[in-house]
Amino acid sequence: MHNPQLNAGGELQHLLTLEGMPAEIIERILDTAVPFVSIAERDVKKVPLLRGKTVFNLFFENSTRTRTTFEIAAKRLSADVINLNVGVSSTSKGETLLDTIDNLVAMNADMFVVRHGESGAPHLIAQHLSARQRAHIHVINAGDGRHAHPTQGLLDLFTIRHYKREFRNLAVAIVGDVLHSRVARSLIHGLTTMGAAEVRAIGPQTLLPTAVEKMGVRVFHDMKAGLAGCDVIVMLRLQTERMKGSLLPSAGEFFKHYGLTTDKLAMAKPDAIVMHPGPMNRGVEIDSAVADGTHSVILPQVTFGIAVRMAVMSILAGG
Ligand code: CP
């Protein structure tokens, strides 16, 4: 089947989703990111791989980590970075997304990093560019609706591999609002492609997608049972902005059953790591004692995000 993010030669043209992404490409991105981690320790934190390229950050939805780490990553690769301020751009005067893109292409854009509330917006831009034979321009999905967040999935895979060395034999539990989570979807695709022994989804029926098992996931509604013997725990935020109607009795009730406390963490393996993509709601999905505790790798995830995004951009640019 044709993969719209690969070019005719099977090379990465855009990064839109981890669904259907060949394991070799994921592995290549993770391997490429390894030396980029140490660039942060240098006096001059720059390499010239994207010198002369112009990267546009187009964030139509709020972001702290993704937008900032993409900007740092592009600057460390020596690109020129433009952060379009969507709130004061002409999209607020009725200009369509694709007209905005055409205008930025007219300014010789080389790469678009796109976050959008509508699932499929980055695909639409990539298709639009291909149709106009602009094969040298690259689109990176920085999170679209509840569909995909591939660079978050990749940085999560990088973090897991960093601490656990390899994916096979690992049991990974993803806990909470899987239904609305593009992070969960991307991570599930990534983990199953990379051969993780078991991926578990833990949450109430109302917050798990129907037929999530078809993605290769084992479902648990009891958190302690789901965490038993896990190597990795990934906590998710309740994405109330995407919920239609009330899916939960209350945040307090959710925390009682699905909040990660030291008591529930004790069910996992003694060397289990705790991850969270952020933004984190303390006392809703995770207790501060765990978020700030010795098992937590939540802040290293953010640091690794820079290296992984550098890897993605340098590979797309032919590095
Ligand atoms: N993980 C993540 O996407 O965080 P931001 O919304 O802050 O970018």
Side-chain angles (χ1 to χ4, degrees):
M1 198 173 74
H2 173 65
N3 187 330
Q5 51 196 348
L6 304 183
N7 64 22
E11 293 289 323
L12 205 60
Q13 171 70 23
H14 306 291
L15 179 63
L16 305 174
T17 175
L18 295 190
E19 186 175 4
M21 177 77 78
E24 309 78 69
I25 292 187
I26 294 180
E27 199 148 325
R28 184 172 162 216
I29 294 169
L30 303 186
D31 291 346
T32 303
V34 173
F36 287 141
V37 174
S38 60
I39 285 180
E41 289 149 22
R42 293 190 198 164
D43 280 346
V44 179
K45 300 178 180 57
K46 270 194 192 287
V47 288
L49 292 171
L50 257 68
R51 191 161 56 197
K53 304 281 184 196
T54 306
V55 176
F56 280 84
N57 261 340
L58 309 179
F59 278 65
F60 295 88
E61 244 191 14
N62 295 341
S63 167
T64 297
R65 283 145 289 267
T66 313
R67 197 195 66 76
T68 315
T69 54
F70 262 115
E71 182 172 352
I72 295 169
K75 285 181 171 167
R76 285 192 184 163
L77 292 168
S78 309
D80 296 315
V81 186
I82 313 295
N83 292 306
L84 189 76
N85 188 342
V86 171
V88 295
S89 74
S90 291
T91 51
S92 60
K93 297 181 197 161
E95 184 172 78
T96 68
L97 176 63
L98 296 183
D99 279 335
T100 300
I101 294 297
D102 283 343
N103 279 271
L104 301 179
V105 169
M107 298 175 205
N108 303 108
D110 294 293
M111 212 173 273
F112 292 112
V113 178
V114 183
R115 169 167 291 192
H116 205 287
E118 294 295 327
S119 297
H123 283 74
L124 185 72
I125 295 170
Q127 258 177 351
H128 178 70
L129 293 172
S130 308
R132 289 170 179 240
Q133 295 173 330
R134 289 167 179 149
H136 59 285
I137 303 176
H138 309 281
V139 179
I140 302 175
N141 181 358
D144 63 327
R146 57 158 98 167
H147 169 239
H149 194 348
T151 57
Q152 179 70 45
L154 289 166
L155 79 86
D156 290 343
L157 291 175
F158 186 93
T159 306
I160 293 169
R161 198 179 76 163
H162 177 84
Y163 288 102
K164 298 291 173 191
R165 299 289 154 212
E166 51 184 31
F167 296 102
R168 66 193 169 92
N169 302 328
L170 288 187
V172 180
I174 303 175
V175 187
D177 184 4
V178 179
L179 179 65
H180 300 97
S181 177
R182 55 196 177 202
V183 172
R185 250 171 276 280
S186 287
L187 182 56
I188 291 168
H189 288 305
L191 285 168
T192 51
T193 301
M194 298 312 287
E198 192 173 10
V199 184
R200 305 176 187 177
I202 305 174
Q205 191 78 55
T206 49
L207 293 181
L208 298 181
T210 46
V212 68
E213 294 92 340
K214 287 192 182 151
M215 294 177 78
V217 169
R218 207 172 144 199
V219 168
F220 291 84
H221 299 301
D222 179 86
M223 187 158 171
K224 284 192 169 176
L227 292 183
C230 268
D231 301 278
V232 178
I233 304 170
V234 181
M235 298 306 299
L236 300 172
R237 180 177 66 89
L238 286 177
Q239 287 151 83
T240 44
E241 73 277 17
R242 293 199 184 92
M243 289 184 192
K244 292 194 180 81
S246 175
L247 298 174
L248 292 168
S250 69
E253 190 71 9
F254 179 80
F255 183 70
K256 188 172 143 200
H257 293 288
Y258 297 105
L260 187 60
T261 55
T262 45
D263 176 45
K264 295 195 192 93
L265 175 59
M267 302 305 296
K269 286 197 181 146
D271 62 348
I273 56 170
V274 174
M275 297 169 53
H276 193 308
M280 182 164 68
N281 290 142
R282 293 168 184 262
V284 179
E285 71 269 7
I286 190 164
D287 191 53
S288 282
V290 178
D292 304 326
T294 52
H295 294 261
S296 172
V297 297
I298 294 170
L299 293 178
Q301 280 179 266
V302 178
T303 307
F304 292 146
I306 299 172
V308 168
R309 288 173 174 130
M310 287 174 79
V312 168
M313 287 195 278
S314 64
I315 289 172
L316 285 172

